[in-house]
Amino acid sequence: MLPAIAVLACITIYPFLWLIWMSLHKVDIGGAGDVWNNFKNWSRLANDAKFKQGWWLLLKYSAMCMFAEVGLGILLAVILNRSRWEKLLVTIFLMPMMMAPIVAGLVWYYLYNSTFGWYHWLLQSAGILGEKTILADTGTAMLGIVIVDVWQWTPLIILIVLAGLKRVPSDQLEANMVDGAGEIRNFFQITLPNLYPFLLIAILLRFMDNFRFIDAILVLTGGGPADSTKILPTYLFDVSFKFFKLGRGAAIAVTLLIVTIVLGLILVKVFENPASKINNQEVA
């Protein structure tokens, strides 16, 4: 295992330590003249309004994506489970997920376009939009990028939940139906608790992706209009690769990493498998 461990150490531990080092220094783009800056990269974050706004927009964006994707994913997975056309429909639903995020962003950018965009024409004909596109209005731009994320990544939730539905013990379902439970009660009492481990995997994957993926957002809005979609990763990209403030960008990246780990641990605790608890209590 030593060669594999060495490779993993090179691509994870060394960049992580280098990131921390950069966050404590004033770093030039050429790597020359890097000097200790007495924690200025960190102290500036407390007074950085765009940093705080980036956190708020990121949490808002992630929450909207998670609720929509998990809700739709569970609903569609239940509908597809053991249906006549399950394999065909699953294949069709998986197509958006196979598309590169930047390509998905370009596709939806053209669909939203005010000149020839089909979705813009449809929404404008229905009286929902005016002359502005959904991406040009500060009130709707966030919704526009959320729709793209939901379209592309809900299939991942469907796939994971479908795998979970196949693992729900039929004897538990039948026993609950003998006790007089209907389909809805059966779902919430038996199926959903057994899905918790699978939902945890799905939510953790999407939660971490939302905290780092900016491809589609850069293509669609670039953080605009008026910074209404400049979530923290987008702001990090601007600081590091537009203004070349690598030390300051490293400090932002470390805070993002720490919060991601903490929230991930909280999610694991919240979605701890209740079905296993019930079984353990019964055995005891």
Side-chain angles (χ1 to χ4, degrees), residues 110-153:
Y110 292 129
L111 290 172
Y112 285 147
N113 190 279
S114 60
T115 304
F116 51 79
W118 187 77
Y119 283 0
H120 176 78
W121 169 81
L122 186 65
L123 293 172
Q124 193 176 41
S125 301
I128 299 174
L129 287 179
E131 293 298 324
K132 288 185 178 180
T133 69
I134 191 172
L135 299 176
D137 192 325
T138 56
T140 59
M142 180 64 76
L143 178 61
I145 63 174
V146 168
I147 290 173
V148 177
D149 195 89
V150 171
W151 172 79
Q152 185 168 26
W153 295 110

Side-chain angles (χ1 to χ4, degrees), residues 208-241:
M208 290 187 291
D209 283 348
N210 283 140
F211 267 54
R212 64 189 180 91
F213 271 170
I214 59 172
D215 311 54
I217 296 176
L218 290 178
V219 171
L220 289 166
T221 64
D227 292 343
S228 61
T229 60
K230 186 166 284 188
I231 62 176
L232 191 64
T234 308
Y235 179 55
L236 169 60
F237 177 86
D238 289 348
V239 170
S240 300
F241 302 112

